[in-house]
Amino acid sequence: MLEATAAVLKGLGYAATLIAAGPVLAAATLRNVPSAPNLVWSAGVALAMTAASAAWLFLLRLGGQADVVSMEAIFLSPLGVALSLQFAGGLWLAALVRGKLALPGAIMVVAAFGIVGHAPSNGSLAAALVMLHVVCVTWWFGGLCVLLLASHRRGATELGELAARFSRQAIVVVALLVAAALTLSAILANFRFDPASDYQRGLLVKSALLLGLLALASVNKLSLTPRLAVQADARSWLRRAIALEMVLFAALIGTTSWLTTYQSPHDHRAGPNAAAPIAIVDAWAPAMLGGARTGAAYMVITNNQIADDTLRSVSSPWAEQVTLHTSISDGLIARMRNLPNLPIAAGASVTLAPGSRHLMFSGLYAPFVAGDVIPLTLTFEKAGDVQAAIMVLPLGERPGDTHDHGEM
Ligand code: HEM
């Protein structure tokens, strides 16, 4: 239930981001556009409310106690910082939409995407790409909003000029959007196409929806825009085409929130990536009950190098400490022992699994909840720092189990 609520809040947050920041970003480059203060105000407040609700959900995950430890966990964890940016950015946009200072609000909102999620946990390049991607989609959506408003408020010549300006700039923005999306997808998928990965299938659905958007945008540019100044019915066709584009945007937002809540880019089924010096697959952790401060995580680590290597240390921004542990059976009692390091021979794989070697997170800022993606840095003697993302699975589930999380 918490997962489904988180997915819905995410989708609402994406929609509110596009509606609140979009017209502001579009106005910054298009100039002389009809303003939409009421729309931006409502979406900015809605964005602040979704961020506050997500923080409240986070508090529930921590056990529901509004004590100092929980407050620190909320506001000092990466998720807390991102939610604070969305909250402040939403209110900023709502308060300053009528002035000239709305743009920093839009920047705050977009910056939140570079702090938590699959992309930031893959490093700063992926974080920058996801922010660029979100700026482009937000600008595109905002441009459609102002064009729709202009189709009601502006004369034929002015509307035609605005549509032509939008089409010219959109070519650059959409090219950037696609370039960022493809590079980001390749990085997150470890440069490997895996048709069995649900995550990658989700990206294919997004690509198909984008193709639909591009087809409509081409009709707007090539057929409707040149006729706006001379034919009255071109205006109503433009409105219909924009409405259809917005429906496709809604489908893209739904797909994105499903992808980022329920799927992991690391759910490859076809084995480790032979190209990476150290390959980490099936990194997962079981969901925990609220209030817990320690948690375990598992994965398969493959050393693809021609030399032996040793895992020296592990860290994560989600916990004060991450250590290597092993469970040893002493008669009927299973004991935990700290492992100082983990040697992996050249070409060998080591499996961290329940009941044997595993990673132990202590001093967790928040318990693992299904759908969370926990960033992790594993430091090897030779391969250096290797980034990984742990997918938190519902209790009782393991990687490769059914991926149908639809029933809540
Ligand atoms: C207009 C079309 C699109 C919209 C509205 C859109 C929207 C978004 C949004 C809001 C995010 C941020 C998610 C987050 O970090 O929480 C995102 C991330 C992403 N998008 Fe798109 N997107 C579009 C097209 C595409 C296409 C065509 C692809 C790839 C083929 C793509 C690939 C990605 C990837 C890989 C991420 C990172 C997802 C993750 O963190 O797992 N997007 N998109």
Side-chain angles (χ1 to χ4, degrees):
M1 185 62 193
L2 280 184
E3 267 176 87
T5 315
V8 170
L9 279 178
K10 223 175 216 181
L12 289 175
Y14 295 158
T17 297
L18 262 55
I19 301 171
V24 173
L25 287 180
T29 66
L30 287 172
R31 313 265 172 219
N32 185 25
V33 295
S35 62
N38 294 340
L39 185 73
V40 173
W41 186 88
S42 322
V45 171
L47 179 59
M49 279 166 56
T50 46
S53 311
W56 176 68
L57 199 69
F58 198 28
L59 182 67
L60 283 186
R61 291 168 168 196
L62 289 170
Q65 299 289 326
D67 51 20
V68 177
V69 176
S70 303
M71 287 300 144
E72 270 182 16
I74 292 176
F75 292 106
L76 299 183
S77 70
L79 180 60
V81 174
L83 291 177
S84 304
L85 272 175
Q86 280 184 346
F87 183 79
L91 289 185
W92 183 296
L93 283 164
L96 297 178
V97 59
R98 284 168 212 276
K100 287 195 177 354
L101 278 175
L103 200 56
I107 294 169
M108 273 188 246
V109 168
V110 171
F113 288 90
I115 293 176
V116 272
H118 297 144
S121 61
N122 259 268
S124 41
L125 175 62
L129 284 170
V130 80
M131 285 192 284
L132 175 65
H133 180 66
V134 173
V135 165
C136 294
V137 296
T138 308
W139 181 94
W140 188 357
F141 187 85
L144 293 177
C145 290
V146 294
L147 215 51
L148 199 58
L149 284 174
S151 78
H152 290 283
R153 297 187 195 160
R154 296 275 164 97
T157 319
E158 260 186 297
L159 176 62
E161 280 169 9
L162 178 60
R165 223 162 40 242
F166 171 69
S167 291
R168 275 196 305 275
Q169 295 187 8
I171 292 176
V172 179
V173 172
V174 172
L176 279 175
L177 183 164
V178 173
L182 293 181
T183 320
L184 185 60
S185 306
I187 292 176
L188 293 183
N190 235 350
F191 296 95
R192 201 158 49 107
F193 177 63
D194 179 1
S197 151
D198 287 342
Y199 184 83
Q200 294 193 20
R201 287 183 190 160
L203 292 183
L204 288 178
V205 170
K206 283 186 79 169
S207 305
L209 291 167
L210 179 72
L211 284 180
L213 267 177
L214 290 176
L216 279 167
S218 308
V219 172
N220 286 354
K221 179 175 169 54
L222 301 174
S223 162
L224 297 178
T225 302
R227 290 194 285 130
L228 279 172
V230 282
Q231 278 179 16
D233 70 333
R235 186 184 284 258
S236 54
W237 279 109
L238 180 73
R239 281 185 205 139
R240 280 182 208 135
I242 292 178
L244 209 53
E245 282 187 65
M246 288 181 168
V247 171
L248 289 176
F249 263 94
L252 274 151
I253 282 174
T255 313
T256 306
S257 87
W258 171 78
L259 264 184
T260 54
T261 310
Y262 293 114
Q263 300 303 328
S264 160
H266 306 280
D267 69 344
H268 300 297
R269 316 278 166 77
N273 176 9
I278 296 285
I280 308 231
V281 289
D282 287 342
W284 68 285
M288 298 156 49
L289 299 173
R293 298 271 288 158
T294 56
Y298 314 102
M299 63 195 62
V300 181
I301 309 175
T302 302
N303 178 7
N304 290 317
Q305 302 168 104
I306 49 168
D308 297 353
D309 208 343
T310 302
L311 175 59
R312 287 269 171 228
S313 62
V314 187
S315 64
S316 166
W318 276 59
E320 280 163 17
Q321 204 183 22
V322 187
T323 41
L324 273 162
H325 269 209
T326 189
S327 305
I328 304 169
S329 283
D330 184 0
L332 287 176
I333 303 163
R335 291 181 198 281
M336 300 273 241
R337 192 163 62 82
N338 240 324
L339 287 175
N341 56 43
L342 184 67
I344 312 179
S349 291
V350 166
T351 302
L352 306 187
S356 95
R357 286 169 294 198
H358 57 272
L359 295 183
M360 179 62 83
F361 288 65
S362 34
L364 271 173
Y365 297 122
F368 299 158
V369 174
D372 282 344
V373 181
I374 319 291
L376 196 69
T377 305
L378 299 101
T379 306
F380 288 83
E381 203 168 83
K382 297 203 177 72
D385 284 354
V386 174
Q387 308 295 332
I390 295 171
M391 186 74 190
V392 180
L393 300 180
L395 264 179
E397 210 173 279
R398 293 202 179 194
D401 286 358
T402 171
H403 278 246
D404 177 13
H405 299 274
E407 195 188 319
M408 289 299 138

